[in-house]
């Protein structure tokens, strides 16, 4: 099985600039968020789809007071 172009949950979360729990929350709650491929108990995330999703959903800017 060719898993080129897939990221582990930790790698996917780091690529999006979020924590792993937020990654799972997005997968469960956001209908347009890429779904992982399950290999046993491991979730593998399609890098290209994550990048496309991030391009459509820019990171929120935090305001500092």
């Amino acid at each position: 099985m060719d898993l080129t172009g897939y990221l582990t949950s930790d790698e996917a979360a780091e690529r999006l600039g979020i924590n792993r729990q937020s990654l799972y929350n997005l997968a469960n709650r956001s209908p347009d968020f890429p779904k992982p491929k399950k290999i046993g108990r491991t979730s593998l995330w399609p890098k290209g789809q994550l990048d496309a999703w991030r391009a459509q959903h820019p990171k929120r800017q935090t305001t500092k007071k």
Side-chain angles (χ1 to χ4, degrees), residues 7-14 20 23-24 42-45:
L7 303 172
T8 64
S9 294
D10 286 335
E11 292 168 337
E14 184 177 332
R20 195 169 54 185
L23 180 74
Y24 294 129
T42 303
S43 296
L44 296 175
W45 304 83

Side-chain angles (χ1 to χ4, degrees), residues 7-64:
L7 303 172
T8 64
S9 294
D10 286 335
E11 292 168 337
E14 184 177 332
R15 189 171 189 90
L16 295 175
I18 59 177
N19 63 40
R20 195 169 54 185
Q21 185 60 54
S22 294
L23 180 74
Y24 294 129
N25 289 345
L26 280 168
N28 290 326
R29 297 179 186 156
S30 182
D32 66 337
F33 193 78
K35 299 298 181 222
K37 179 179 283 210
K38 297 290 274 186
I39 306 295
R41 292 179 51 186
T42 303
S43 296
L44 296 175
W45 304 83
K47 184 172 20 175
Q49 290 179 32
L50 288 174
D51 290 345
W53 183 88
R54 171 52 80 203
Q56 293 174 356
H57 301 83
K59 194 170 183 180
R60 290 189 182 129
Q61 299 297 316
T62 56
T63 56
K64 296 191 177 185

